[in-house]
Amino acid sequence: MHGKPRVLTKRFGIIIVMAIMLIMTACSQGGNSNGGTAAPEQSEKATESTTNESAVKQETIEITVWDKAKPDDILKPVYDEIFAEFEEKYPHIKVKHEVQPAGNNDREVFVTSMAGGNGPDAYASAYFPIMSDWAKQGFALDLTSFWETYADKDQYLPSAMAAGTIDGKIYGIPNNMYTMGLLYNKKLFQEAGLDPNKAPANWDEFVDYAKKLTIPDKNQYGYALLGMDWADWWFEYYVWQAGGDLTTKNEDGSVTLDFSKQPAVTALQFYKDLKWKHKVVQKNIVQDIGDNQKDFFLGRVGMILSASDWFAGVVQGGMDLNDIGFAPYPVGPAGVAPSQTGGQYWIVNPKVPKERQDAALTYVAFRNSKESLEKMLKFQSENGILPNLLSVRKDVDASQFSSNVPADLVSSVTKTAENVQLEYFLKERLGSYVVKAIQKVLTDENADPLTELTAAEKLAQKEVADPYNKEIKE
């Protein structure tokens, strides 16, 4: 989202005093070998007591952050209020708030800007699966030394820190997170003779529910399957439910591809059966995720996967929150069904001068403070906006600002967060290969899951895994 010298000195009439001041200034610039993440403003709390003094002494530092709200953004008033509070508290840091440059893919826009030397000083949308790549590419500053003295470090959920911790070093500060679960239409459940307060518990029940919810004459189907360019995103959950994953990250950092192993094959066979045998998914299997969601909002589909922070979209789509249910995934053959957790990190530009890095960290600490996060939640609650019910901080309880959300939805989000898993290792580089196999099976009834996954694995091994593993060893 969303380098001038640092210290001003007064004029002294005595040259010796000036010399002493210059020596003290030089000494204060010494010492942090870890990517410029040291001390003066490592924590919003740590600097609070000396803010007024430092503001007088320090020259203005300008940083750029891509977090400007668009004019029609319903959250613009609260963003503006938070921005103003930061400016008042840290007058020596001038934040140039910008809307992220336009583009079809926000990740590509960021990478292109960073490669061209035009990236922001702080960036709030580094997604969990890409953190490892971006750290290796030099797009995220090593924040380990900052983190060691960050007053709020123990307030973050361990699950929120996992993807931002790489080889024992901290590269990201959690901005937000979510868990995935099964979203269903209670009204359609009732019409199909199903208990609206009971989600399917396993794959067999899931198929049974989907069949009862499928009514071709009404253009209604049981389950919205994701078969578009992001098909691997939801498919990986079924691989987990079958007892495996799509890749293995080895102890030395290398990757082993598991596309053709039994859990992935079992999961893809289940996908194939949903489409061709049970006929309980949409006709256009590669339709956009927005169309899948639109079908759900219009009552054309009974079940769809959803993130815990998508409920606002459900309301905007015209549904009453009392008419929807949310639950953990049905367990698969392995008897497990971990929820996928994802989200975004704040990262700092490692290519800008140290004083801008320090200023950026001061800004991030302020934006991520308990006070700022609760101000946002309070505004959302008072303006009928559904908040993300899952906070990255232990001391911020989003449920306190969710009086307009049915209690069962709040409790179900908490339940999905009890057993979470990160997306498969090297997903960003390997996704297109997995997607190709999925789409082949969903569009060709004669396609064999093992054959397609084996072919995808062979190609991905040659084009991605082998070069990556070579790079790791070197």
Side-chain angles (χ1 to χ4, degrees):
M1 291 236 307
H2 11 334
K4 297 180 180 179
R6 304 184 304 94
V7 180
L8 285 175
T9 59
K10 297 180 180 179
R11 295 186 177 181
F12 293 89
I14 301 174
I15 295 176
I16 293 175
V17 175
M18 288 186 66
I20 291 173
M21 292 298 293
L22 289 171
I23 291 170
M24 291 175 66
T25 300
C27 290
S28 72
Q29 291 177 340
N32 189 347
S33 60
N34 194 16
T37 60
E41 294 171 328
Q42 291 181 358
S43 162
E44 190 259 326
K45 285 186 177 180
T47 58
E48 187 169 356
S49 61
T50 59
T51 298
N52 293 333
E53 292 181 19
S54 63
V56 173
K57 295 178 181 179
Q58 290 180 322
E59 285 194 2
T60 298
I61 299 172
E62 183 176 287
I63 61 173
T64 299
V65 184
W66 289 354
D67 64 350
K68 183 178 181 179
K70 295 180 180 179
D72 60 347
D73 190 333
I74 194 171
L75 295 175
K76 185 178 185 300
V78 69
Y79 275 120
D80 289 345
E81 183 178 344
I82 291 172
F83 295 165
E85 288 178 353
F86 178 82
E87 185 175 353
E88 180 179 0
K89 191 168 188 177
Y90 301 98
H92 67 289
I93 301 177
K94 299 300 181 184
V95 182
K96 186 179 180 183
H97 301 283
E98 296 182 349
V99 176
Q100 176 160 325
N104 293 328
N105 186 312
D106 60 341
R107 308 181 196 198
E108 292 178 0
V109 169
F110 174 77
V111 169
T112 300
S113 296
M114 288 294 291
N118 300 312
D121 295 284
Y123 184 61
S125 299
Y127 297 94
F128 282 21
I130 61 180
M131 280 300 298
S132 180
D133 269 358
W134 281 11
K136 293 181 187 301
Q137 291 172 323
F139 295 155
L141 182 68
D142 180 354
L143 306 180
T144 307
S145 62
F146 162 80
W147 192 259
E148 289 171 350
T149 57
Y150 179 33
D152 290 355
K153 66 178 181 179
D154 293 330
Q155 295 298 338
Y156 288 87
L157 297 175
S159 56
M161 292 301 303
T165 305
I166 302 161
D167 297 329
K169 297 179 180 179
I170 306 295
Y171 286 90
I173 299 176
N175 179 26
N176 58 60
M177 67 183 296
Y178 64 86
T179 60
M180 294 293 295
L182 181 70
L183 188 68
Y184 61 91
N185 186 319
K186 289 184 176 181
K187 284 187 173 181
L188 294 186
F189 267 43
Q190 287 179 313
E191 292 173 4
L194 300 169
D195 185 344
N197 297 310
K198 181 179 178 296
N202 53 50
W203 280 14
D204 288 340
E205 277 196 5
F206 179 81
V207 171
D208 181 58
Y209 279 41
K211 286 181 176 179
K212 291 178 179 178
L213 290 163
T214 299
I215 308 175
D217 292 344
K218 293 177 59 177
N219 194 27
Q220 178 181 313
Y221 58 100
Y223 176 58
L225 194 65
L226 190 64
M228 57 172 291
D229 293 345
W230 303 342
D232 63 317
W233 176 23
W234 292 3
F235 174 71
E236 64 186 325
Y237 311 156
Y238 293 87
V239 181
W240 301 346
Q241 293 160 23
D245 206 343
L246 288 164
T247 58
T248 298
K249 182 179 181 181
N250 303 312
E251 290 186 3
D252 63 357
S254 63
V255 63
T256 297
L257 305 186
D258 299 327
F259 300 0
S260 63
K261 291 184 178 177
Q262 191 57 53
V265 176
T266 298
L268 193 52
Q269 182 63 54
F270 185 62
Y271 259 40
K272 180 178 181 179
D273 289 345
L274 290 176
K275 166 64 176 176
W276 299 107
K277 179 180 179 181
H278 305 304
K279 303 183 188 301
V280 294
V281 300
Q282 72 270 26
K283 293 180 181 179
N284 180 12
I285 206 64
V286 295
Q287 71 182 20
D288 185 86
I289 187 173
D291 289 327
N292 280 4
Q293 293 172 328
K294 184 178 179 181
D295 283 351
F296 184 79
F297 302 154
L298 295 175
R300 295 173 183 162
V301 58
M303 299 181 290
I304 187 174
L305 299 192
S306 174
S308 59
D309 59 352
W310 287 0
F311 296 145
V314 173
V315 174
Q316 291 171 358
M319 296 191 74
D320 186 327
L321 288 182
N322 292 295
D323 293 334
I324 65 171
F326 186 73
Y329 305 133
V331 301
V336 296
S339 173
Q340 178 248 321
T341 184
Q344 300 167 313
Y345 289 99
W346 279 100
I347 58 175
V348 173
N349 193 332
K351 301 180 181 181
V352 300
K354 179 182 180 300
E355 60 265 26
R356 282 165 57 185
Q357 294 172 353
D358 290 341
L361 283 167
T362 299
Y363 180 72
V364 172
F366 181 85
R367 285 291 310 274
N368 262 36
S369 67
K370 182 177 188 290
E371 294 73 20
S372 291
L373 294 179
E374 288 186 342
K375 181 181 290 291
M376 177 66 72
L377 289 167
K378 184 173 184 291
F379 178 88
Q380 291 173 319
S381 177
E382 292 176 347
N383 289 273
I385 304 168
L386 295 178
N388 182 356
L389 299 177
L390 186 63
S391 173
V392 297
R393 290 183 60 123
K394 302 173 186 176
D395 57 353
V396 176
D397 183 3
S399 66
Q400 294 182 353
F401 302 89
S402 306
S403 59
N404 53 344
V405 181
D408 65 320
L409 285 182
V410 176
S411 62
S412 63
V413 169
T414 302
K415 190 172 183 179
T416 62
E418 292 175 355
N419 180 20
V420 296
Q421 185 167 324
L422 291 172
E423 295 191 74
Y424 68 94
F425 179 58
L426 227 58
K427 177 181 187 293
E428 287 293 305
R429 302 191 190 191
L430 294 167
S432 62
Y433 299 89
V434 180
V435 169
K436 185 177 179 180
I438 295 170
Q439 291 181 337
K440 179 65 174 178
V441 168
L442 293 177
T443 56
D444 181 356
E445 187 174 2
N446 296 316
D448 175 61
L450 176 59
T451 300
E452 299 304 325
L453 287 168
T454 300
E457 180 177 275
K458 183 177 180 180
L459 186 59
Q461 184 70 42
K462 177 183 178 181
E463 296 182 351
V464 177
D466 286 344
Y468 180 83
N469 290 340
K470 182 180 179 181
E471 176 187 335
I472 291 295
K473 292 178 181 179
E474 291 176 350

